Every structure is written in C-alpha cells, then in structure tokens.
Amino acid sequence: MTPPPTFLGKDLIGLEHLAREQIQAILDTAEVFKEISERPIKKVPVLRGKTIVNLFFEPSTRTRISFEFAEKRLSADTVNVASTGSSVSKGETLVDTARNLEAMRIDMVVIRHSASGAARFLADRIPSNVINAGDGRHEHPTQGLLDLLTIRDHRGAIEGLRVCIVGDVLHSRVARSNIWGLLKLGAEVAVCGPATLMPAAVETLGVRFFRRIEEALEWADVLNVMRLQLERMHAGYVPSLREYNRFFGVSNERLEAAPRDILVLHPGPMNRGVEIDSDVADGPHSVILDQVTNGVAVRMAVLYLLAGGRPDTAEAAKGGP
Amino acid sequence: MTRPLLIRGGRVIDPSRGYDETADVLLAHGRIEAVGPGLDGPDDAQVFDAAGKVVCPGLVDVHVHLREPGDEHKETIASGSRAAVAGGFTTICSMPNTDPPIDDPAAVGFVRAAGLRAGHARIHPLGAVSVHLAGERLAPVGEMVEAGAVGITDDGRPVRDAGLMRLALEYGRSFGIPVASHCEVPELSRGGSMNEGVVSTRLGLTGIPGAAEDAMIARDLFLAELTGGRLHVQHVSTRRGIELIRDAKARGVAVTAEGTPHHFSLTDEAVEGYRTHAKVNPPLRSEADRLAVLAAVADGTLDCIATDHAPHHYDEKEQAFDDAPFGLIGLETCVGISMTYLFRDERVGLSDLIHRMSTGPALAFGLEAGTLVPGAPGDVTVLDPDARWTVDARAFLSRSRNTPFDGWELTGRAVATVVGGEVAFRLQDAPA
C-alpha cells in the first residue's frame, strides 16, 4: 500500500526539487525537535509502531548513528543493514534487496549508496518512504539541511549571506545539497578550489567560482569546507596534500586576514592539516560540533514529516518535556 | 522456386541513380528484374499494391550488435535479423564484440551461416581489428574478408594504440575494406557514464567530454590521410567531430561516417531521472551537438544513418545508472525517428533520406545493396511516410526492450520488407 502524500511528498531524495517553503518548514520543525535530545529521557512516541530500515551500502559512522538516534528518539523500530555480511555483499541486486525489504512491510528506508541516483531508483520501486542518506556524488539532503540549520542558528537568517563551499565539489554530494538549499533560501553561493575538483559548468548551477582561496575569503561570510579524500590525491586531482593545504587549506592565518568574521563548517570526517587546520577546527570560527547536534534534530524532523506529520503540529506531537 | 513479385503503383525512389517516379518494381529469381511504369508481371507473379507508398532499395544498417555468440539472452542472430526486417532493413552489418569475439574466419563463417539459416535480413559481419579485441596485434584480416567480413572494427572500445590503427588502415587497403572506428580517448572518458555538462553536474554522474571523441576522430583522420586507408567513423555525436570529418572530406581523405537516430533526436536531458535507457556510448550530448548531427545527416557529411542497435537484458538496465551497461536498441524505431526528425521537419527530401539509410551505407562498406538497378539483389523496402504510430517496446521482435523511445508518437514506418525477392516482413496491423 502506498502511504498518503505528505508535506514533503513520499521521499526525500534531494534538495534540488524541494520548494523554499518545504525547506523552511523542515528547519522550523527541527528547531522544535532539538529540545528532545536535551531531556533526561530522550524519547517521544511520535513514530511508535513505524518500522525503519537503515540500508547502508557504503560505510558510514556519523550519518548512520545520527539517523539511528533520530529514529530511536522518536520511538521507531529500526533495523540496520550494512553492506558487509549481508546479502548485499553476495551479489543481490539493489532492486531485489528493496523488494525483499518491502515484503517485510516496512514503512521507511534510509539508504546510503555509492551510485548517484540509487535513492531515486529505490524510491521509484517501493511504496515505502525513502530518505537519501547520500547517493554517490548526487545529494546528501539531510547533511545539507543540517548545514542550513547550523548557519541559521548562528547568523539568524540565510537570506543574503555569502556562503562559499571550499574544496572537492566534483565528488561531493554534500556540496550539491548545500548549493541547492542555500540558493533556495536566498544565499549567495560560491565554490572555491582547483578546477580539477570542480564539476563541468559549475557556474550554471547559479554559483560563483573562485580559483584562489584568497578571493573566497575576501568575499564570504561562511565557509563550508569539504573533505579531501586521500584517493583524490592518488588519482592525480591534486599533486600533494601538502600543496593542497598550502593553496586551499583553511587556516587561522587566512581567517584572521579576512574582512569579516567567518563562520566555518565541515561535514566531517575531517583531514586535519589538509583542508582544514586543527586550530580552525577547534577554534572560535568553527561550528562543526553544532552541525553534528543539529543533524539529529533535522533527521527527526524529516522522519516526522515523511511519516505524515505537519510542521504546525510538531510542538504538540512531541509533547512537553 | 519463388514466385516473381510485382510491387505496383508506388512512388519508386532509387537514390543510386536519382530515380523518383510512380512506377512498378518487378522482382524475379531473387533479383530486380525491371523498374518502370505499367509493368506487366508474369501470370504467376504475386502482386503487392504499393499505391500511396514509397518503394526504395532495401535499407542497410551498418552498425548492429547481434550479441550471438555469448549473450543470447540479449539477442540472437535470428531475433536481431528478424527485428531488422520488421524495421525495414534488408541488410545489416554485425559488430564483432561478442563472446568469443569475431576475430577469425571461422567466427565470421559462423555468423554468416547462422544468418542464412535464420533467413531474415542479410548479415554482413565486421571482423575485429585486433585479436581478442585486445588492441595489441592485428586479427587475420585477409582471412576474415575471404570468409565474408566486409570491414573491421574493435567497436565498443577504441583502438587505443595509434600504431595499431595505422597498421589496420594500411593492411586493410589490400582487401578493399574500411576500418570502422569507435572514436574515444579512454583516458578522457574514464569512469564516465554520460555527457559532461550541466546535467552530469546536477545528477552527480561522471561526464564524458566531447573532446574525448573529437580528439580520437582527429587522430584517425590523420592516420587515414597518412595511409590512404578507408576510415569509417562510427556514431559521431559531436559538433566538432562533424567539422573535422567535413574538413577531411574536403581534403579528399577516404572517410565515411554514420550518425544514429538517438544522437539526432535526444540530448543528455534524456538521462534526467537516471534513465538507464538513455545510457549509451558515445553519450547523448548537448542540443548544439544534436542539431549538428541532424544537419550533417541532411547534408551528407554523415553518409549513413546507423542504429548502433545494442540490446541489453531487462535486469542489466534495471540498476543504478553507473552500474547499467551502455547501449540502446534501434532497429525497429530507426525509420520512424529518421522520418519524423529529418523528413517531417523538412530538413531533407525523401531521396536523400533513403540515400542515408540505403545507398550511402552500401557504398561505405562496398555492399551489393542500396540500388534498384535491374540485376541487383531483390531487396526492397516499402515505406509509408504518412503512417502515424506509437512505439510499443513490448511488441518488438528484438529480444530486448531497452529503448528510450517507448511510447513516442512517430510518423513514417516500413510496411513491407523484401529480401531476395521474397516478402520477409509485412506490417499486419497497419493503422488506417
């Protein structure tokens, strides 16, 4: 049976196709749900009786745990399926995995997969709600949303802010979700990094492209620093990590020279001393741990809304502390 | 002995000699007997009323993957050649990238024999350029030609080694065959699954830049010029590639080239939603590229319309985009797409369109086809340029269904296909 349409539609695949109002509503709902995690007893019966499968075809610690906490704090029943030690690693196709899960009458699937489009693929084939927890280089919408929430928390509003995404945009689903979400909420968006790590025609997405980090720091209010995976160096996208740090790394020295007080985000896991220096990560500009805290709230909001909850009844749904 | 066949009252278009008249075509003994108005057939002749239809030399597709041997779950020589006649083709050239590949005379003989046994379209195999398609040393080209190969190609993969390509073009000259080239610089296309551009950026898929194709087309044109060998550039998809070919032709380089219906009817927007039926190599490109391919087919820079019919099983396309194989099928939609995009849009007259689908490809590969001159093989296609129809992949005779055109409304269709004087296909449910 197909669940009735919700405020977000059946699935959350990406931010590209969400309306500004939907994104705002998720952030507002997350704001309401934040408080649950501050209670001594961190559990409300919002998703009681709902069955959720966390289907992770790619290793993930932070995102999987964040989803799991969000699900458990809303009282859902959850099962984790990881790619190792399951039928997934025995050559079963994605479509068969999905159909088998469906046959067990689940309500939602949270999927992480290395192929772009995998979440859409699954969503088109099963009636359960599907939440994209990262598909290839395409999107990672809940990460985008938690970045938006964190920026909003610290700067009051996103409209009119100048946000620059620094580093490996080519391989980054986080970058794409950030670009769509930020543009929809009225931010000015730029990307900065070597052209080898930028996708083709990146400016056609509606962003500026800075080839030098000095230009980005001159311009930006907020930096969202992308992880540089070590295999990118081995594949020749950058000559060395040392050189990358020297020309594109975010250091305190660079931040101090900037004309504005810059907020620094990083989706993790960090390569300290490569794309971001330790004194930045642990310093006053950094809101990296706030991002992690907000991740749970944002995921609770998404789960609640996809399960049929309304943004305006979130307060009532979670009950008092 | 087959009865003579009289195709009466159609508009007979034979681009091989600029013929375009309302006339009859008489076939006997498997060959064209006569063409002209008011022909009297022998008393026992079978009569086909072609009034209101176009009668032309049998269509030729020089780029077809039949998948046999090795991948009979996708297509067989019998099913593919049957799909061919249903699409109006009397002659097809099969690609050698099967498992095992067609890289020796016995394998060429196998394809020929299986084609004759199936008895649908005529099949002319292409042999491999290199042993095992490995790109290292030349396959026995002369022996394969002796066994019936009409050209050589490592299609599906490029001939990476420029030295080997040079040898193939030089050696091929002794046997009068073209080297058909899938032009792609692998170092530039590595890991790619669609055209590089704004759509690949939005979808988060690795792009294949047009330059990957352009650079290899340029290399092969230079080698053709150097050696005097005959080069056939397969499935050209880029505007720059077409310019290169046009320039080379103007310099007198012995080059022919083909364009596919999907490259002149679709762009990379068709991949939107991660549609694996739109995953093909070379990839669907930009609108500027699409229009360039269309114009080049119209003006003859691209000599042939070829389908690159590439069947894949349902399960193989039912995967995440990166995991699905490249390729789509085209035998049963080629006439409809070509007529809709080239003739209906008045880019090209019927005679030129038929040239690209019959005479042009026959000349490119030196095939005894593409003409209605008396004495030629009795291969004729009857087209209804006004037939409006809807593509229904479930009704295909191919074993596979991987088409991006399912549900499309097209105008123009083959209503009968005659091979060797015998009706090999006749559209039963022709719409009124």
Side-chain angles (χ1 to χ4, degrees):
Chain A
M1 221 188 70
T2 308
T6 73
F7 182 77
L8 290 182
K10 182 173 93 69
D11 313 296
L12 179 66
I13 304 304
L15 301 189
E16 183 182 359
H17 299 292
L18 284 191
R20 176 193 176 97
E21 295 68 35
Q22 289 174 306
I23 294 175
Q24 294 278 22
I26 297 170
L27 301 185
D28 294 344
T29 307
E31 204 60 58
V32 172
F33 281 151
K34 269 184 183 174
E35 173 266 320
I36 297 169
S37 298
E38 306 303 328
R39 297 179 191 178
I41 296 170
K42 299 173 178 56
K43 211 172 186 72
V44 295
V46 170
L47 293 183
R48 194 163 57 193
K50 295 279 183 192
T51 315
I52 303 177
V53 175
N54 298 314
L55 187 57
F56 278 68
F57 291 88
E58 249 187 8
S60 157
T61 308
R62 188 177 317 237
T63 303
R64 186 178 54 73
I65 291 173
S66 180
F67 264 108
E68 213 178 327
F69 274 133
E71 292 154 2
K72 292 198 156 127
R73 286 175 192 176
L74 296 181
S75 305
D77 295 318
T78 67
V79 175
N80 293 320
V81 182
S83 58
T84 47
S86 69
S87 55
V88 171
S89 59
K90 294 172 194 156
E92 185 175 83
T93 64
L94 182 53
V95 67
D96 282 335
T97 303
R99 287 183 183 145
N100 278 286
L101 291 172
E102 196 56 41
M104 294 182 225
R105 304 290 181 262
I106 53 167
D107 297 295
M108 292 190 187
V109 179
V110 176
I111 179 176
R112 156 75 57 98
H113 198 284
S114 61
S116 300
R120 170 88 274 148
F121 180 93
L122 191 68
D124 289 344
R125 282 160 184 80
I126 62 172
S128 315
N129 307 109
V130 172
I131 300 174
N132 183 6
D135 64 325
R137 305 167 179 191
H138 175 228
E139 284 223 42
H140 189 352
T142 56
Q143 178 72 45
L145 290 163
L146 73 89
D147 291 345
L148 293 172
L149 184 62
T150 307
I151 296 170
R152 198 175 80 166
D153 283 353
H154 284 270
R155 289 294 157 94
I158 287 176
E159 179 112 39
L161 277 181
R162 291 172 160 188
V163 183
C164 185
I165 298 158
V166 182
D168 184 358
V169 175
L170 177 63
H171 301 96
S172 177
R173 49 196 172 212
V174 177
R176 283 171 182 72
S177 288
N178 262 272
I179 289 169
W180 298 124
L182 288 162
L183 288 175
K184 279 171 202 269
L185 296 192
E188 286 183 66
V189 185
V191 295
C192 173
T196 51
L197 293 175
M198 289 296 147
V202 66
E203 286 117 320
T204 58
L205 301 181
V207 304
R208 304 175 64 140
F209 173 25
F210 295 118
R211 289 174 194 277
R212 304 281 303 195
I213 198 162
E214 293 79 8
E215 297 164 2
L217 285 158
E218 194 68 32
W219 176 86
D221 300 306
V222 179
L223 295 185
N224 196 347
V225 185
M226 300 294 110
R227 169 180 168 74
L228 184 79
Q229 291 180 319
L230 297 182
E231 56 260 40
R232 304 303 170 215
M233 186 195 70
H234 298 307
Y237 289 95
V238 292
S240 75
L241 297 183
R242 192 190 64 230
E243 175 156 326
Y244 184 84
N245 179 255
R246 174 153 174 207
F247 291 101
F248 298 98
V250 178
S251 64
N252 254 342
E253 199 183 4
R254 287 194 163 124
L255 289 174
E256 296 313 326
R260 296 177 197 76
D261 180 26
I262 294 181
L263 196 69
V264 177
L265 290 85
H266 190 299
M270 286 183 283
N271 294 307
R272 290 168 177 259
V274 181
E275 72 270 9
I276 187 166
D277 285 0
S278 282
D279 51 2
V280 175
D282 304 328
H285 297 277
S286 164
V287 290
I288 294 169
L289 291 175
D290 295 346
Q291 291 174 267
V292 179
T293 307
N294 281 341
V296 179
V298 154
R299 289 173 179 121
M300 284 197 279
V302 168
L303 292 163
Y304 165 75
L305 293 171
L306 281 179
R310 304 272 328 161
D312 49 6
T313 55
E315 192 70 57
K318 69 162 184 169
Chain B
M1 198 64 221
T2 328
R3 290 164 62 196
L5 175 66
L6 182 63
I7 303 171
R8 183 172 273 166
R11 177 180 165 192
V12 178
I13 300 178
D14 180 1
S16 76
R17 55 186 178 111
Y19 187 90
D20 186 349
E21 309 277 345
T22 300
D24 305 333
V25 177
L26 179 64
L27 300 98
H29 313 294
R31 296 201 163 252
I32 306 287
E33 182 90 3
V35 177
L39 290 184
D40 285 323
D43 292 344
D44 63 338
Q46 185 188 344
V47 177
F48 184 100
D49 178 12
K53 307 290 192 289
V54 168
V55 180
C56 65
L59 305 183
V60 179
D61 185 352
V62 295
H63 196 145
V64 176
H65 295 272
L66 292 173
R67 302 300 190 206
E68 184 180 354
D71 284 307
E72 290 84 353
H73 63 294
K74 300 178 192 231
E75 196 78 282
T76 63
I77 289 168
S79 68
S81 57
R82 190 158 167 248
V85 293
F89 294 99
T90 57
T91 299
I92 56 178
C93 293
S94 58
M95 294 298 116
N97 60 338
T98 49
D99 182 18
I102 310 305
D103 64 352
D104 66 22
V108 172
F110 164 79
V111 175
R112 297 257 304 154
L116 290 171
R117 239 185 349 262
H120 304 296
R122 297 179 197 271
I123 300 175
H124 296 292
L126 269 68
V129 168
S130 62
V131 175
H132 303 318
L133 303 168
E136 285 163 10
R137 58 196 176 89
L138 277 185
V141 176
E143 287 181 332
M144 291 193 295
V145 171
E146 213 168 47
V150 297
I152 52 173
T153 182
D154 275 358
D155 180 47
R157 61 181 79 175
V159 178
R160 192 180 204 138
D161 181 333
L164 179 66
M165 190 64 179
R166 174 192 176 154
L167 293 179
L169 284 160
E170 282 175 333
Y171 194 71
R173 290 192 69 178
S174 294
F175 306 97
I177 48 111
V179 180
S181 180
H182 169 126
C183 291
E184 172 182 343
V185 176
E187 292 81 3
L188 289 173
S189 61
R190 188 167 41 208
S193 56
M194 69 170 296
N195 183 47
E196 181 175 296
V198 62
V199 182
S200 68
T201 292
R202 284 183 28 243
L203 295 178
L205 294 169
T206 304
I208 301 172
E213 186 171 342
D214 303 336
M216 195 61 107
I217 290 176
R219 182 201 79 174
D220 285 354
L221 289 169
F222 283 128
L223 293 175
E225 195 165 14
L226 172 71
T227 59
R230 277 169 61 199
L231 174 69
H232 177 78
V233 184
Q234 298 176 299
H235 42 47
V236 183
S237 74
T238 62
R239 185 174 54 83
R240 287 288 293 133
I242 287 162
E243 286 168 7
L244 291 164
I245 292 164
R246 193 175 283 134
D247 290 351
K249 283 187 165 183
R251 303 199 291 279
V253 178
V255 57
T256 55
E258 67 191 39
T260 74
H262 48 275
H263 286 121
F264 64 67
S265 60
L266 294 168
T267 67
D268 56 3
E269 296 282 342
V271 174
E272 199 67 51
Y274 301 96
R275 293 182 62 224
T276 57
H277 286 348
K279 180 173 176 179
V280 63
N281 191 15
L284 303 173
R285 305 257 187 210
S286 69
E287 179 66 0
D289 291 313
R290 181 184 81 84
L291 292 173
V293 174
L294 206 52
V297 173
D299 72 19
T301 302
L302 299 180
D303 311 78
C304 322
I305 295 172
T307 63
D308 192 6
H309 179 83
H312 289 294
H313 191 263
Y314 171 84
D315 282 344
E316 295 162 321
K317 282 288 194 179
E318 184 75 353
Q319 298 195 73
F321 196 86
D322 274 336
D323 298 333
F326 289 103
L328 54 90
I329 56 173
L331 284 169
E332 293 171 79
T333 49
C334 181
V335 166
I337 296 288
S338 300
M339 286 207 148
T340 304
Y341 278 82
L342 283 156
F343 172 60
R344 286 287 140 198
D345 286 1
E346 296 179 344
R347 287 173 185 276
V348 67
L350 268 181
S351 181
D352 281 346
L353 180 62
I354 291 162
H355 194 283
R356 305 295 177 264
M357 299 185 76
S358 179
T359 314
L363 289 170
F365 283 82
L367 309 177
E368 203 189 2
T371 178
L372 295 177
V373 167
D379 298 349
V380 178
T381 300
V382 182
L383 301 168
D384 182 350
D386 303 314
R388 294 181 60 83
W389 61 291
T390 304
V391 178
D392 177 7
R394 289 166 306 174
F396 281 168
L397 296 178
S398 168
R399 275 206 176 169
S400 289
R401 303 282 175 266
N402 52 310
T403 174
F405 302 118
D406 197 23
W408 282 36
E409 306 265 349
L410 300 175
T411 304
R413 193 172 195 184
V415 293
T417 309
V418 177
V419 180
E422 289 188 63
V423 177
F425 166 77
R426 192 163 180 177
L427 188 65
Q428 296 305 324
D429 54 343

